[in-house]
Amino acid sequence: MSTLEIKGLRVSVVTEEGSKEILRGVDLTINSGEVHAIMGPNGSGKSTLAYSIAGHPKYTITSGSVTLDGADVLEMTVDERAKAGLFLAMQYPVEVPGVSVSNFLRTAVTAVRGEAPKVRTWVGEVKEAMSALSMDPAFAERNVNEGFSGGEKKRHEILQMELLKPKIAILDETDSGLDVDALRIVSEGVNRVKENQNLGIMLITHYTRILRYIKPDFVHVFAGGRIVEEGGPELATKLEENGYAEYVTA
Amino acid sequence: MSLATTTNYLTPTGREEPWRFTPLNRIGGLHDPSVELHDRISLEPSDIPAGVTITVEDALAFPPLSANEDQVVTRIREGVSKVLVVTIATNAEVALPIFLVRTILDMNPEISRVQVKAGVNSHATLVISNSGDGIFAEEIELNLAAGSNVRFITLQEWGSKAVHVARHHAIIAKDATFTSFVVTVGGSLVRLLPTVEYTGPGSSAELFGLYFATDGQHLEHRVHVEHGVPGAKSRVNYKGALNGDSARTVWIGDVFIKAAAQGTDTYELNRNLLLSDGARADSVPNLEIDTGDIVGAGHASTTGRFDDEQLFYLMSRGIPSEEARRLVIRGFFSEIVSKLNLDEVEERIMARIDNELATVKI
Ligand SMILES: Nc1ncnc2c1ncn2[C@@H]1O[C@H](COP(=O)(O)OP(=O)(O)OP(=O)(O)O)[C@@H](O)[C@H]1O
Ligand SMILES: [Mg+2]
C-alpha cells in the first residue's frame, strides 16, 4: 500500500517577464489502487502538476510538499523519483535520436529494478508487453519516439509503465490522439498494471470516454492552478455537459 | 633526405583565410621552414589481404597526383624521399579491411606520404589508426579507378599532446564510389583536410566525420569537394561534440560546383553539440555554384546545447544522469558510427566517447 501526498503545492516558471505562478496550492492524496481523474481547461496547470511531481527542472517549487510513503519526493533527483515508484506518462513524449527502444527499455528497467533483467526472460517479457499493446515488434529497433505517430508514442509510454511497474502513475492525456481501438488497448494495459501492481493513478484527461474503461474513484476539477471541486464519476459527466465556465469565472 | 630550405612558399602567419582558425603556436613547427622535419614511413600494415600489395617506393617515381596549395603539404612533398603505396588489384573484391596502424612515441616533427591506388572495379576498405603522441604531418592521396569502391577510415586516437596535420585527397573516376570516415577523438591540435575531386561522371563521394574535443584540444576539419565534371554526387555529414571550456573545433565545408559540373548532386551537413558553456565550435559551410544545371545542392549547419528534455525523459525512467548523458551522446553519434559496419571499430569509438565524456563533468 503506497500513498502519494501532495500538500499546498505552489509552483512557478521563469518567463521573460519574471517568475509566473502556475500552481496555486494543490492538495491531493492518491493511494494504491485508486484512480483520480483530473479534468480542467487548457492552461490550467495540469501538466505543470505532473511535471513538478516528476521533477522537471523547468518548474520551481515555491512552497508545499510532495511525499511518497512519507519520503520527500521534492528532495529526490528525477531518476530517484522513478526508482521510488513514480511514473509519468507524458502528454508529449520526447524523441531521443540514435537510442533504440530496446536499449532504452533495458537501461531503464536495469536502473529501476537495480539489476539487469535476465537475458533469457527479458526478450520474452518485452515481446509479450508489446504484443499486449498491439505494438509491432519492429518498434524495439526504432529510435525512442522518433517518427512515432501520436498514438504510437502513447502506447510506448504505457509499454514503459508495464515494464517499470511503478506504485503511482500519472497519465497526462494518455488518451489524446488515440483512435477507438487504441484507446481500449491502452486502457486495458493501464488496468492490467493496476490489477497486478495495485497501481494508484492520476489520470489527466479532457474526455469522459477513457473513464468508461478506467473507472475513476474520484474526479477533481482543476482550474487556475488548483483543485476547485471534487466528486465521484458523475462529476465527469456533468463537466462534459456543462464545461468549465462556472469554475473559470468563479 | 633532409629538407631543402630553398623553397619559396610563404610561411603562414595565421592571418591567411585557411589558417585563421589554427593556433599556429601549437603546431609544433610543421609550418615553419626553420624546423627540420624527419622523413619516416610510419604506417605498419597488420594482415594484408589477398588482392592488396603494400610497398615502399621512391618518391620521385610516385609524384603527387593532385594540385596543392597547403604550405604544410608542400613541405611534405618536398621533404619525403619514400612513399608508402597501397595497391588494390583490378577487379579485386577485398572483403577483409586493410588495417594500417601508426604509433608515434616521440615529439620529433615527422612527415609521411601515402598513395592508395584502387584498380578498375576493385572493392576495399582501408582503416588507418593513429595513436601515441608526436608531431606529424602527412599526405594521403587515393586514386580510385573507374568503377572502384573504396571505404577509407581514419581514426585519430592520439594522446593528449599529439599534433597531426594532414591532407586526405581522393581522386574519383567514372562510376567510382568513395566513402570516408574521419574519426578524431585524440590529439592536442589536429588539422585535417579531407578533399575530393572527380574525373568522370557517375562518381560519388560520401564523407562522414565524427569529432569529440575536450579541454585543451583544437580539432579542425576542412572538407573540400570540387565538382569539376558533370554527373557526380557528394554527401558530407560531420558531427562533433565539445566537452570542456577550452575545447575548440573548426569545421569548414567548401563545396565548389564548377561551370562544367552539370547535373551535380550535393548536400553537406555539420552538427555540433556543446556540452560546456565555454566550448567553441566554428562551422562554416560554403557552397559555390557556377552552373545553373544541378540536381540538388544544399547545406545545413547547427550548433546547439544538450537537450534537457531528452535528459529529463530518460531520467524520468530511472536512468541516472551520467548514463542518460552517455545515451544521448552515443545516440547523437550513432548515425555516423553505425555506418562504419565494423563492430570492433564501432565499439572502440563508442568506448572512447564514453571516456571523453567522463573526463569533464558536464
Ligand atoms: N515558460 C513559460 N512561460 C510562460 N508561461 C508558461 C511557461 N510554461 C508554462 N506556462 C503556462 O503555464 C500554464 C499551465 O500550463 P500546463 O501545460 O500545465 O497546462 P495544462 O493544464 O496541462 O493544459 P492542456 O490542457 O492544454 O494540456 C499555461 O498557461 C502555460 O502557458
Ligand atoms: Mg497539459
Side-chain angles (χ1 to χ4, degrees):
Chain A
M1 172 73 182
S2 287
T3 304
L4 178 73
E5 198 169 12
I6 303 158
K7 276 190 188 159
L9 190 67
R10 289 181 171 267
V11 171
S12 313
V13 291
V14 179
T15 71
E16 275 166 18
E17 295 87 48
S19 167
K20 176 181 170 191
E21 184 163 70
I22 312 275
L23 298 188
R24 299 191 163 92
V26 178
D27 294 290
L28 181 64
T29 300
I30 299 176
N31 293 305
S32 291
E34 295 176 355
V35 176
H36 293 253
I38 308 263
M39 305 184 79
N42 294 132
S44 56
K46 303 178 300 298
S47 293
T48 303
L49 176 62
Y51 277 128
S52 301
I53 297 168
H56 194 292
K58 176 174 135 181
Y59 302 97
T60 310
I61 317 288
T62 52
S63 68
S65 66
V66 178
T67 56
L68 179 64
D69 299 330
D72 187 350
V73 170
L74 301 179
E75 279 299 306
M76 300 177 194
T77 57
V78 175
D79 56 314
E80 284 168 354
R81 297 178 197 210
K83 284 175 200 140
L86 291 174
F87 182 85
L88 167 60
M90 295 188 199
Q91 185 175 0
Y92 302 110
V94 181
E95 302 190 359
V96 191
V99 178
S100 73
V101 166
S102 69
N103 185 16
F104 164 63
L105 293 176
R106 172 189 287 277
T107 308
V109 164
T110 302
V112 166
R113 294 184 192 169
E115 59 176 1
K118 300 266 178 300
V119 182
R120 202 178 304 162
T121 53
W122 171 246
V123 178
E125 189 181 345
V126 175
K127 268 213 181 109
E128 200 180 311
M130 288 180 84
S131 112
L133 289 164
S134 299
M135 285 180 81
D136 187 331
F139 276 98
E141 298 320 313
R142 288 177 58 177
N143 293 330
V144 172
N145 294 323
E146 206 177 44
F148 286 25
S149 76
E152 288 163 354
K153 284 181 182 168
K154 298 303 176 73
R155 284 180 212 221
H156 182 224
E157 294 291 282
I158 301 307
L159 173 70
Q160 294 165 49
M161 188 177 80
E162 288 220 67
L163 295 168
L164 293 174
K165 306 191 191 334
K167 295 178 179 141
I168 305 282
I170 303 168
L171 310 181
D172 191 358
E173 294 198 28
T174 298
D175 54 336
S176 299
L178 293 181
D179 66 43
V180 187
D181 297 323
L183 180 68
R184 182 180 43 78
I185 291 163
V186 163
S187 300
E188 283 167 6
V190 173
N191 286 332
R192 243 186 340 263
V193 183
K194 181 171 177 274
E195 289 310 307
N196 297 341
Q197 307 295 126
N198 198 23
L199 181 71
I201 298 171
M202 183 196 295
L203 183 72
I204 299 171
T205 183
H206 288 296
Y207 309 105
T208 52
R209 52 173 207 162
I210 192 173
L211 304 179
R212 288 203 295 271
Y213 297 103
I214 305 171
K215 296 267 185 267
D217 302 294
F218 308 92
V219 174
H220 308 268
V221 181
F222 206 87
R226 35 200 283 272
I227 291 171
V228 293
E229 186 168 2
E230 296 177 322
E234 73 290 343
L235 180 54
T237 320
K238 190 187 131 200
L239 290 172
E240 194 155 63
E241 282 162 14
N242 304 346
Y244 299 107
E246 65 176 289
Y247 304 107
V248 175
T249 50
Chain B
M1 183 182 99
S2 72
L3 183 66
T5 48
T6 53
T7 49
N8 59 358
Y9 57 84
L10 293 167
T11 307
T13 62
R15 286 187 296 274
E16 303 80 359
E17 178 57 31
W19 292 99
R20 73 183 173 97
F21 291 105
T22 314
L24 285 169
N25 57 339
R26 287 165 52 191
I27 204 166
L30 289 171
H31 70 305
D32 176 357
S34 69
V35 172
E36 193 186 340
L37 303 176
H38 299 270
D39 169 20
R40 187 166 83 90
I41 298 286
S42 45
L43 279 177
E44 304 273 353
S46 39
D47 297 323
I48 302 175
V52 180
T53 51
I54 300 181
T55 55
V56 175
E57 304 285 351
D58 201 69
L60 295 175
F62 284 80
L65 304 168
S66 57
N68 160 61
E69 290 171 359
D70 183 88
Q71 290 90 337
V72 173
V73 174
T74 304
R75 293 197 73 195
I76 299 167
R77 288 181 173 187
E78 292 178 356
V80 298
S81 59
K82 301 284 182 201
V83 179
L84 188 81
V85 178
V86 178
T87 308
I88 302 150
T90 297
N91 293 323
E93 296 267 354
V94 185
L96 291 175
I98 309 159
F99 281 100
L100 297 167
V101 177
R102 174 187 289 117
T103 308
I104 301 183
L105 297 171
D106 66 67
M107 300 299 280
N108 297 320
E110 62 177 81
I111 52 177
S112 146
R113 245 187 81 208
V114 176
Q115 270 185 14
V116 178
K117 295 176 169 294
V120 171
N121 293 330
S122 63
H123 278 62
T125 297
L126 184 63
V127 183
I128 294 181
S129 62
N130 296 299
S131 61
D133 279 305
I135 298 170
F136 173 59
E138 71 173 336
E139 179 176 39
I140 302 176
E141 289 177 302
L142 303 105
N143 195 12
L144 279 69
S148 63
N149 185 322
V150 173
R151 291 168 64 81
F152 177 60
I153 297 158
T154 62
L155 309 173
Q156 282 60 241
E157 300 175 293
W158 300 109
S160 59
K161 295 199 288 285
V163 175
H164 182 194
V165 176
R167 176 176 190 248
H168 299 162
H169 183 76
I171 303 164
I172 310 172
K174 180 175 181 297
D175 296 328
T177 301
F178 178 64
T179 310
S180 84
F181 291 87
V182 173
V183 176
T184 305
V185 288
S188 162
L189 184 154
V190 177
R191 185 181 192 271
L192 301 184
L193 283 59
T195 58
V196 165
E197 67 177 285
Y198 302 90
T199 59
S203 47
S204 144
E206 276 195 283
L207 312 180
F208 297 105
L210 178 168
Y211 47 87
F212 197 135
T214 54
D215 266 326
Q217 286 188 294
H218 173 102
L219 307 181
E220 178 169 348
H221 297 87
R222 310 180 68 91
V223 176
H224 182 120
V225 179
E226 184 100 3
H227 281 276
V229 300
K233 179 178 166 180
S234 59
R235 291 287 180 273
V236 179
N237 187 355
Y238 272 62
K239 285 187 146 186
L242 295 85
N243 190 13
D245 284 347
S246 65
R248 189 76 206 277
T249 65
V250 177
W251 180 84
I252 310 290
D254 284 333
V255 176
F256 295 156
I257 305 173
K258 299 291 177 198
Q262 296 114 11
T264 292
D265 181 6
T266 179
Y267 195 82
E268 57 169 343
L269 180 63
N270 176 227
R271 288 194 194 291
N272 295 296
L273 190 54
L274 301 174
L275 305 176
S276 316
D277 290 330
R280 179 164 167 197
D282 285 293
S283 178
V284 188
N286 178 28
L287 188 54
E288 291 181 15
I289 308 175
D290 296 338
T291 170
D293 172 18
I294 51 169
V295 172
H299 62 77
S301 158
T302 59
T303 296
R305 299 199 48 80
F306 216 90
D307 184 344
D308 289 335
E309 295 299 327
Q310 291 179 13
L311 267 193
F312 172 73
Y313 188 74
L314 296 174
M315 288 180 70
S316 77
R317 272 48 176 151
I319 300 171
S321 76
E322 300 270 301
E323 201 170 351
R325 285 170 212 279
R326 208 155 49 223
L327 273 179
V328 172
I329 300 276
R330 277 182 168 239
F332 174 71
F333 283 127
S334 74
E335 179 195 352
I336 308 270
V337 175
S338 64
K339 289 199 177 77
L340 279 166
N341 293 331
L342 290 171
D343 289 347
E344 96 184 83
V345 176
E346 288 177 29
E347 220 7 82
R348 211 164 87 198
I349 294 168
M350 284 304 193
R352 176 81 182 231
I353 288 167
D354 287 350
N355 246 340
E356 303 289 319
L357 258 184
T359 57
V360 181
K361 196 107 184 104
I362 302 166

